[in-house]
Every structure is written in structure tokens, then in C-alpha cells.
Amino acid sequence: MIKYIIKRFIYAIPILIGVNLLTFTLFFVVNSPEEVARLHLGNKRVTQEQIVQWNEERGYNNPLFYNNSEKGFNVFKETIFYEKSLKLFLFDFGISDSGRDIKYDIKQRMLPSLAIALPSLLVGLFINITFALFFVFFRSTRVDYIGVIFCVALMSISSLFYIIGGQYLISKLLHLVPISGYAQGYEAIKFLVLPVIISVVYGIGSGTRWYRSLFLEEIEKDYVKTAKSKGLSESSVLFNHVFKNALIPILTGVVVILPLLFLGSLIVESFFGIPGLGSYTIDAIQSQDFAIVRAMVFLGTILYISGLILTDISYTLVDPRVRLK
Amino acid sequence: MNNLLTIKNLYLKIKSNQNEEILKNISFNIQESEVVSLIGESGSGKSLTALSIIRLLEKSCKIVSGEIVFQNEDLLRIEEKEMRKIRKKDISMIFQEPMRSLNPVMNIRDQLKESYENKKKDDVDREIIKNLISVGIEDASRVINLYPHQLSGGMKQRVMIAMAIACKPKLLIADEPTTSLDVTIQKQVLDLLLELKDKLNMAILFITHDLAVASQISDRIVVMKNGSIVENNDRSSFFQKPKDKYSKSLLESSSYNRKFKKKFSSKEEDILNVRNLKVYYKENNSLFTKKQSFIKAVDDISFSIKPGSIHSIVGESGSGKTTIAKAIMGLTHITSGHIKILNKDIINISDPSKRNLRKFYQMIFQDPFSSLNPRMRVGNIIREGLCFLKPELSSSEINNKVLEVINNVGLNKNTLNKYPHEFSGGQRQRIAIARVLVLEPKLLVCDEPTSSLDVTVQKQVLDLLMDIQNRIQISYLFISHDIKLISNISDTISVMHKGKMVESGNTFDIINNAKNEYTRNLLKSAPQIRY
Amino acid sequence: MFTFLLTDIFFYIIFFSLIIYINYVRKTPDIRETWSYVFKNKTGIISAVVLSFFMLTALLDSIHIKDKIYNEDRNEYVYSQEINSILDIILLPISKNTEKSYSSPFSSHLYSKETVKSYNDKEKRIYPKLLHKGNHNKYLDDNIKNIFFTSLLSILKSFILVFFIYILIFREDVFKNKFIFSPLKRNSVLFSSLLIMLSIILILYDLGTQYYVLGTDKVGEDVLYKSIKSIRTGILIGTLTTIVMLPFAVFLGIFAGYIGGYVDDIIQYIYTTLNSIPSVLLIASAILMLQVYMSNNPLEFENIYERADLRLFFLCMILGLTSWTGLCRLLRGESMKLREVEYVQASQTFGLKKMSIIVRHIIPNIMHIVIITVVLDFSALVLAEAVLSYVNIGVDPTTYSWGNMINAARLEMSREPIVWWSLFSAFLFMFALVLFANLFSDVVREAFDPKASKNYE
């Protein structure tokens, strides 16, 4: 087991290197640092000195891969690739283009992101599975048919409408909770309720349909017939047999996104002014702060890969058929 | 004896096709502790009849009329709750695929426990172990904690049986319970069922397509065809003097005899010569262990085939017989050994000269439903090999050959413009035969060519193959699990067991005085019709 | 003169491949049977009708024309910088005039008060009358009457139109056999959905020339026109993206699955790497870099239309490159399965080369997965466009798109009193497109993969 986990981590290294090279190419090769500086300083009437200075302040003044002016190992060390890309492997995210410590920001913003994402996931899971079981219980009846159509309709609405509509209805018309903002401690709850509700409602359509199809797939299997031939009731077949089997894909599907919850939701956070990593990313994108975007790409990749590893481990815990080698 | 179950005028429809009944006027009785076999080919409605009794039909099926009376109660008219009670107490069912019929994420104890209600945990455990021992699982206290995937096929079916008899039912419905098992295991399971029947005094409705199996176990035979019953007779009179024409043809088809044997000289050069063939597969080797372990699928096999003769390889599932076929055809890698076709080694040979040889040895696959590309017209399927292996032919020559071969396999030329899905299994297998026959091969490797077909169709395909062999100089390498069939058609036989060849020789010698223990066991287990 | 924007050309390619595919389906009985399942299903017919109207709009909006105008200075005809599509010309009666600012649907006045000088030089704050539409009648109830009768007329028109279409299609039945209504019974769903769609379109069009049916936006532009123009953007993103990624996904997936070995390792590495980056971040990074490149090289993109068009095209490319991994993995798995299937092995025993096995046996037998993925991805991509435009990494701000409309609506929603109709229109159009695309994809999936989906009876 431990062997397997170590092996998986080793397999993750080439992928991280690939992601690293890809982002490096995107951010430094497609456009030279000089061009980026020009964009930030405004296109017209920019002097060469200003550009050099801007790059120097942010450490973009070195060559990309190989520094002729240095000696020894420093020819590799004093380069953008080393400073900006390789250091990511040590979780050294550096400073943002606007001069802030990225690592500090990320630490500060992880918790608010999680405070929305985790409740949304759990509540959503509960509601979606309940609905799905309900539809499956009434499968191939009118209830199920209307339910599915309703789910498709819910799925067809852009998330933006849920947010704008929800904000308007609950905050502006009904004045139940503040429109946006955030506070520390228990005060945060009143700011969190609405975004969580909206995230859950948004997920109902696709989630319910997905779980419903998982259950239906199981219910067609032969062992269900065996269970019924034992004289078990419909509900005990559904819960003791079908549910137990469908739980495997459900659980592993949840585990794979668990680490990514730290990244938060981009639009929900920015609409509600939650100081999480999602709004951090959006702000960085909108102010074209590439240092932050780079850091987030790397962080996102690491979280995704650890999600995959966690999934494999959780398989062995819930599925007796799977043994890790 | 009393009637336990009476089915009267049962009609059943499928919702998507309202015009035609799938079951038509089904009526028969089962008496207490009687074994009734329901026999029929695929699609004859025998499984639907069984599922109607226990009321586990798919929602797309609808019973139109009729009654199923079980102990003075019409099962079709009682509440679902009452029906559940009956399933719990009086009627049990076991299914064809033990692998799929057990819940994969529950251990054996939990699955069996559901059949014992209202008892203390310790009592239940004791009951379960006793039950498992009674179906021949000796180390029951260990098995009880295992999951289905940790058991062999035969063991799983025993667990299924244990589950079914846990409530000591009055009627056990067994839907092809031995079809997916090897013959040796099949025999054990059948013996077990008979033993339990006597012990528990229960009736069995046994559904099968195999007449030999039915003759072994049943008191009465009910034959179904296209959703109706064509004959209902007691065993001995059925097998000695079947009343219905269809029953007769079933009986005739179930034991196949080669019409006449061609003489071949043993002096001629071998058409196929396999020497010390080994096919090993690597097991998942991890990064950290240097040791490599192998699965020996085929381990040091040698045999040869004379021109115009039929050689058969017989063995149970997992014995490596299909791997031999694949190795000969170049569909799997070979660890070591030699394979010579017409005295040319086809393993260490350049691609162009191998291509020249390929037309001489061809293969027919087991499943005619997956051996024809569903997106190609039949004409193109047959033409494919010709175009690649005989590029010297003009297109009119190719067309003539295709027309000739389609005629030879008993199909008409309209077939060529159609797609495979328009044909039945038997017709598809004819197309598959035409596809290779058009190349005029000297050796045909037939990997279970009839095992996925119904018995009457099996006979037709075998007739065709034998007929071809009588007309042209061709050798067959037959691969099968059915030693009874093999012994009737082949000149020489090799018996495989766990990747090794345990015995090889003349058909007569092997059948009548087998030296190897395993061969004898195989022969003994193969079901014979008991008249 | 016709001009061709980059996305136009790709859109034509999509359209022609669609026609070729339809032709292929008509010739191949078993695929025809599968598709006929879709078009026998009620939901399938209705959504196909709705979607084809959307497609038609997008197509009309993709045929662009440059006008010749007379340049007095140089005394010659030159092509104007302005590019119009056929759709623009059709919609000219709706779009030609603009108001000063916001006005609500069917309103006859502006939405906000303005200070005007009346005849005696006194300043008054009133709601000014609209300049171009909505003022045909003095009184409100007359307006309602007008709307009612205009709509009635439009419905009548569409009845006549549908009747002619019906006669045209079933001319043989109608004239030879004299059974005028027997084909109608068989195709009742098709013709009633056609009738409803045509009625809606004609009502919108006829009313659109007289009223601002969905109001006007901040600069007084007709919101209905904006919403219709956004259809092309949505459809392009939904289709072009999948077309861009298809070759990658299909070939790499098949090579990985069928050939295996090192090829498989490399391809798997590529798509796992791409897949590991959260897609929003990857898209954001790529688009940001494109923005830098475009703003640093302004000379290469002279024309404002071409510039916006290029950005749309690149957006599709980037979305395609990030979304091919899913299909690639599916196809890899399927090819691996097919490698072991007996008909592929049978061809191997004929000594066919790997490439010919792929072309003859593998590709035809994975097409159903490709089709399911294409229709399934479509609606997700239309929805993604809105979100990306909201984050400013979507289409160019000058391009008509629902995402841009929603983006603008954010401020309108916080006005007092609120301006709701832009958001509402974007919602309406997007919802219609995505809903029917979803319903259609359900039916298609059911037809091509009966085991996998059991959503409807």
C-alpha cells in the first residue's frame, strides 16, 4: 500500500514537469517579458528604461534558460526558468507582479474558499442523491419522466443566471442576507449561506441526473434479480444492494475533487466578494498578474494529481475487488 | 403426488411490440419433488416463463392472460407483498451467471444472511455454515468472510444454491445453472442439485438448452419453441420416442456424427507442425521487485496435422487452447518454439513471404456476432482477404470467386449487399466460413465454431464444415471444450489442461482407453443422454 | 462583394461536412436506422426543428458582404470597412435605428427621465418619447390591440408558409393520391413544431419592426437584434471547438489504443499532463497570452471585425485544445477493446497493415462515440462561453454574445429601478438553445448507445 502511494507520487513528477514546461512556454516564450512589461505600462510612450526597470523589479530581467554573464552553476541558476519555474517545485511561489507575497496570500485565502466549497459539496451530494433515489424508486413512471425533464431544464441554465437571479431575489428583494462581503469567524455564516445555496441549486440538475444514471445502471444488474428472488422488498433492495454498489463511483467521484475544493469557485467567489482563491485568480486574470496565474496553475495541478491518488486509495477502501499493486 | 404449480394458458407480450405474443398459451404442471426440464433454443421463451412464475419480469414485459397457480393461489393475482413472502419461503431461483448474480461488494455472510430473518447473529452464522457445508463447501467458516470475486465459478454457483435453498423452498427454479461452468464442475453441480432435491423434498424447474444435461436430471421434459410448448412428456418416453418433429430434430442434433471419414496417409508431409510452443505472459511486474513472474498460458506444446485430417484440441476454460490458435495465427506473441506451415517456419520469416503463406492457413472464430465488422457489407467482408492476399486477381475474378463461395456455404448472392446485423447466428457463421474459404486455405483453425450457436444450427454448421472437407483437400484444427463432439468428428485429439498437453493421440485410443487421469475425468463428466 | 472571415470559412466546412455526413447516413442502412430512431422520437423531432432554426440563423450570419460606397474625394467606388451579413440585411428593419438609451420592452418612452426645454423655455423632467418605434398609437390599449392583430397576422402567415412547405414535400401524395392529410398525420409533431417555431419567429420579426420587443440597451440598441446576433457566436463556439479538437482526439486516441506500447505511453502522458491543469486556468493563461500578443502587435489586426473574429477563432482553438483529452481517453479505451474483437483479429490474419485496419475497421466502429461526444459537448461549450466572457477571457467585447450581454447586465441589475430585459433576453435565447441541445443529445445518445442511457421510456 505505502509502496503503491510512493510509486504514484513518483509517477506524478513527470506530469508536474510537463505542466511546468507548458506554463513556462506560455508565459515567457510566446511573449517575451519585454512585451508583457509593455502591456502593463501602457503601450504608447514607454521608454526602454521603464521596461527594463519594470522587469528588474520583478526579476524578469534574466535570460530564459542560460545566463552567459554568470559562471559555474549560476549560468542555470540566474535565469527566469530557474527562478520562476523550478522554484515552484519547492512551493516557492515568489512575489506577484504587484509586489505581494503569493504564498502568504494563498494561505490566507484557502480557508474562505473551503468554507463555501465544502458545504456546497456536502449539501449538494445529499440533496442530489436523495432526489436521484426518489426518481429511481419511481423509475419509468410519470414522476421520473417529469423529474428528468426538470433536471435537463435546470442544467440548461447558465451558472451566471443562478447567481444574478439568486442575489437579486434573496438579497435585494427579500433582504434576507447581505449581497456580498465576508467577515471572520461566525459572522461569516450570513455571507456564506447564499453562495452555498446557489452552488447547490446550480448542481441539482446535472448531479441528480448523474446519480440517477448510476443507480439505474446498477439496478439492471443480475445481482438485483437475485436479491429480489430472495423476497427482499423494493426499498431494501435499493438501499442494501443498489446503493452499496453505486456508492463506489459516487465516493471516488467525490474524493477526486476534494483537494480541488481549496481552489474555490471562480465566479461564485467573485460575485459575492469572498476573499478566497477563486476571486484571487479572477482578480489576477483581470489585472493580468501573470505571476499569480502561474502559481495557481501549478497549485491546481498538484491538487488535481493528489485527488487522483486519493481516489485510487479510496477505491481499495470501499471496493473489495480492488487491490493496489 | 400433488400438483405444486400449475401454469394455465399463459400469454405474454413485450410493450414495444404489441402485436405479437412472446409466450403463447403456456400450460404445464410441476408436481411436488418433481424435476421438470424446460428445453428450448435461445429466444424460445423458457427464461421468460420462469421469470413469470417468480414474477421478476422486466418492466417492458406484460402478462396478457393466464394463471399461475401455486398451492391454490394464483401468483399473478396476489399483492406484491404476498409474492415477496412466497419468494422468501416457497420459491427460489438460481441464475446462469454466478459471477454476475452475486453482489460484488457484499461478503458471502451478508448475502446469505438476508435469507435468514429474525435470528440471533451467532445462530445465523451457524446456520449459514451448516448450509454452505451442505452444498459441498467444506471450509465454510473461511468462505463466509470472502467476497464473490475470490471464489471460483463452481464455488459461486454453490453459494447461489445455498442461498436458494436457505428457506427450504418447495420449488427451485434453475435457469441454465451449469451453462457457464466447465463440464467437470457441471457434473458436480448437477449431482448436488439431485442430492438436495431428495433431501429437501423440493421440486425443480430446470431450464436448459442441453438435452444431455436434461436427461441426467429430470423426470419430465417440456420442450418450447418460439414461445409455445411443442411437447410435454416424461423423460424416458421423450428420449426414446419423441412425439414432436421439432423434438426429434433437437435429439438428432444433440449428438453429432461425421458422415464418412476421409482417408489420409500418414506418410504425407505435415501441413502444420508445432514444436515446443511456449506462450508466457508477464504478470504485472512492479518497479521495485526485480523478480519477474509469468503466467504460462501455453507450456511446451507439440503436435502436428496431416493433410486432409481433423485434429482437435480439447480442454476446459483457461487450459490455453485458444492461445494455441492465436499463436498459430500470429495474434499473440510467442515466447519460444516453432510453428511450421507446409514445412516453412512462420515465426522467423520475413513479412512478404509470410503474406504469401497466410492464404494457406486461416481461422474461424467462436462468436459470429463479433467476428464480422458491423459497418461493412457482407460482400466486402468476404472480399477483404482476397484483395490483400491475392492481389494478382482481377476484380472480375474476385467477384466470381466470391459468388462461388457464397453459393458453396449455402447462401444466396443477395447476401453480398447486406450488412451482418440482418443475419442470424448460423448465417453469420456461414459468412465467416465463406470469408476464409474463398482464399482456398489448406488449414482451417476453428476456435469453438459452434459453441455459441443453438443445437440445430450447430448441426448445420458442422455439416457444412464436414461437407467442405469431403469436397476439397483441407485440414481442420478444431478447438473445443466439448469432448463428446470432438470424439465424433476428429481423427486425432490432444487434451489440454492448465497450459500443458496431458494426452495426445488417435481419437479411438483416447476415447476408449485414456491413460491420463484428467482425460478420464473429462470423459466421465461429459453429459451423455440417459435413455 | 462577399468577404470571408476566418470563422466563416470554418463554419462552411462544418456545414459541408454535415451535408456529407447526412449523405453517408442515407446510404448506410444501419446508421440510417439509428438516426431514424432519433427522428421518430417526439423530443428528437422538436429539438431538431428548433436547433435547425438556430443553425440557419448562424449560417445566414456567416455569409458576409462588404458594401461598395462612393468616395467623393477620390471619385471612385471603394469597399467600405463595414461588413454585413445576410442576416443583418434581413434584420435591417429591426436594427437600423437606435435610441438614446434604455427603454423597456414594448415601451413608447425612454426608461429614464431627461431634462427637456419646453416651448416657453421652462426646463421639465419627463420621459422622452422614443424616436423610432413604439409610437404608432396614442393610447396603451390601442397598442395592445395592435400587438394582438400583428401577431395574429404573423401566425396566419406562418400557417400559409407551413402549408406550402407541406405541399412541396408531399406533392406526390397530395396530387396523385389525393390524400391530402394522410402524410400530415404521420408527421404531425414535425409540422406542429415547425408551425410554432415559424410563428414565433414571424411574430418577433413583425413586432420587432414596430416595437422594441425586448427593449433597448444603454446605447439604445435593440436588444432583440443583439440576442439574435449572439446566436452565431454561441453556435460557433459549440461547433468549431469540437471540430478543431476532433482530429487530435480521434487519431491520437486510436493510435494510443490500437498501436499501444511507446506510442500509447507518450500520448497518455500528453493528455494526462493537459488534463491535470484545471481547465479554466489553462484557458485563462492561453487567452491572456493571446491578449498580450494582440495588443503588442496591433498592426496585424487592422479591421475591427477581423480582430474580433480572430479572437473568437483562437478562443475556439484554445477551448478545443483543452477539451480533447476526454474524447481521446474514451477512444483509446474503445480502440483497445476493438483490438481484441474478433473481426479486427480476422483482418490481422489476412495480414492487413495497421493503418488499413484502423481505417477500415476501427474508425467506422468508434464513430458513434464521436457523435455522442460532439452533441454532448455542444451545450457545455455554449454555457462556457458566457462564463469566460464574464471573466473577460471570452470573446472580444465588441462581439455580440450572450456572455457579453450578461456581463453588461450585471451593472444594469444594480440600477434603481433595475434594467432586467438584457439579462432576460440573454437568458431566454441561451436557455432555448442549450435546453434543446441537451434534449437532442439525450435522444442521440439513447439511439447510438442504448445501454448507456435510459432517460426516457
Side-chain angles (χ1 to χ4, degrees), chain B residues 24 47 127 133 171 198 224 278 314 363 372 416 453 494:
Chain B
K24 282 163 276 197
S47 286
E127 288 271 340
I133 290 170
L171 172 65
D198 290 339
M224 284 187 76
K278 287 180 187 169
V314 66
M363 177 161 175
L372 306 175
L416 296 176
L453 304 173
S494 301

Side-chain angles (χ1 to χ4, degrees), chain C residues 265-306:
Chain C
D265 289 341
I266 292 168
I267 293 171
Q268 269 203 70
Y269 172 68
I270 294 174
Y271 75 62
T272 345
T273 305
L274 275 178
N275 211 23
S276 318
I277 308 176
S279 56
V280 187
L281 287 168
L282 185 57
I283 293 164
S285 318
I287 294 272
L288 283 177
M289 285 306 120
L290 183 71
Q291 277 174 353
V292 175
Y293 184 78
M294 281 180 131
S295 71
N296 281 324
N297 304 285
L299 288 179
E300 286 176 33
F301 316 101
E302 283 176 63
N303 192 317
I304 179 171
Y305 292 98
E306 280 169 16

Side-chain angles (χ1 to χ4, degrees), chain B residues 89-102:
Chain B
K89 274 197 349 248
D90 298 325
I91 304 181
S92 295
M93 183 156 179
I94 48 180
F95 301 91
Q96 178 173 354
E97 281 284 345
M99 180 67 236
R100 280 185 277 154
S101 308
L102 290 169

Side-chain angles (χ1 to χ4, degrees), chain B residues 365-524:
Chain B
F365 293 88
Q366 174 174 2
D367 183 2
F369 286 87
S370 67
S371 67
L372 306 175
N373 184 347
R375 294 272 174 271
M376 272 168 93
R377 286 175 205 275
V378 171
N380 290 336
I381 289 174
I382 297 175
R383 225 167 271 145
E384 186 171 42
L386 272 184
C387 296
F388 279 86
L389 294 179
K390 294 191 171 173
E392 69 277 5
L393 294 178
S394 71
S395 63
S396 64
E397 280 173 306
I398 288 181
N399 283 341
N400 287 338
K401 275 184 182 296
V402 170
L403 281 175
E404 193 190 313
V405 80
I406 203 81
N407 197 22
N408 282 345
V409 297
L411 295 169
N412 64 21
K413 65 178 183 194
N414 294 341
T415 314
L416 296 176
N417 282 323
K418 292 183 179 165
Y419 283 84
H421 73 270
E422 295 169 63
F423 299 97
S424 67
Q427 287 170 316
R428 281 165 183 243
Q429 202 59 300
R430 282 170 197 270
I431 294 168
I433 293 170
R435 166 172 65 184
V436 290
L437 210 59
V438 76
L439 296 166
E440 293 157 6
K442 301 251 189 290
L443 169 71
L444 215 48
V445 179
C446 307
D447 184 8
E448 307 250 14
T450 59
S451 65
S452 62
L453 304 173
D454 283 325
V455 271
T456 47
V457 184
Q458 261 181 31
K459 180 175 184 297
Q460 293 162 9
V461 170
L462 284 172
D463 276 341
L464 175 66
L465 285 171
M466 296 307 131
D467 184 45
I468 291 165
Q469 217 243 356
N470 289 332
R471 271 186 284 151
I472 57 175
Q473 175 80 2
I474 191 168
S475 316
Y476 291 145
L477 171 59
F478 237 87
I479 288 165
S480 177
H481 66 280
D482 187 346
I483 199 164
K484 210 171 57 181
L485 170 75
I486 291 301
S487 61
N488 284 330
I489 58 171
S490 41
D491 301 309
T492 48
I493 291 181
S494 301
V495 183
M496 295 272 299
H497 183 52
K498 290 183 179 164
K500 287 207 178 355
M501 191 176 278
V502 295
E503 200 161 0
S504 187
N506 250 334
T507 306
F508 186 83
D509 297 342
I510 300 252
I511 301 298
N512 293 313
N513 34 41
K515 294 184 186 74
N516 186 281
E517 172 75 39
Y518 176 75
T519 314
R520 282 200 295 271
N521 192 15
L522 207 59
L523 280 164
K524 203 176 68 197

Side-chain angles (χ1 to χ4, degrees), chain C residues 92-99 132-133 212 216 220-222:
Chain C
L92 201 61
I94 295 177
S95 66
K96 65 183 169 198
N97 300 310
T98 56
E99 300 293 333
H132 304 287
K133 293 185 199 170
Y212 294 107
T216 57
E221 205 172 359
D222 193 331

Side-chain angles (χ1 to χ4, degrees), chain C residues 95 97-99 101 212 215-226 400:
Chain C
S95 66
N97 300 310
T98 56
E99 300 293 333
S101 183
Y212 294 107
T216 57
D217 69 354
K218 197 177 178 186
V219 293
E221 205 172 359
D222 193 331
V223 174
L224 175 65
Y225 172 72
K226 278 174 76 180
Y400 289 110

Side-chain angles (χ1 to χ4, degrees), chain C residues 149-165 194-195 198-207 209-210:
Chain C
F149 282 113
T150 316
S151 315
L152 211 62
L153 202 67
S154 313
I155 291 172
L156 203 69
K157 275 191 221 166
S158 55
F159 257 107
I160 295 167
L161 214 61
V162 169
F163 183 71
F164 276 115
I165 294 171
L194 202 63
L195 183 71
L198 266 177
S199 308
I200 292 173
I201 289 167
L202 284 177
I203 290 172
L204 282 181
Y205 188 81
D206 290 343
L207 287 178
T209 54
Q210 300 176 35

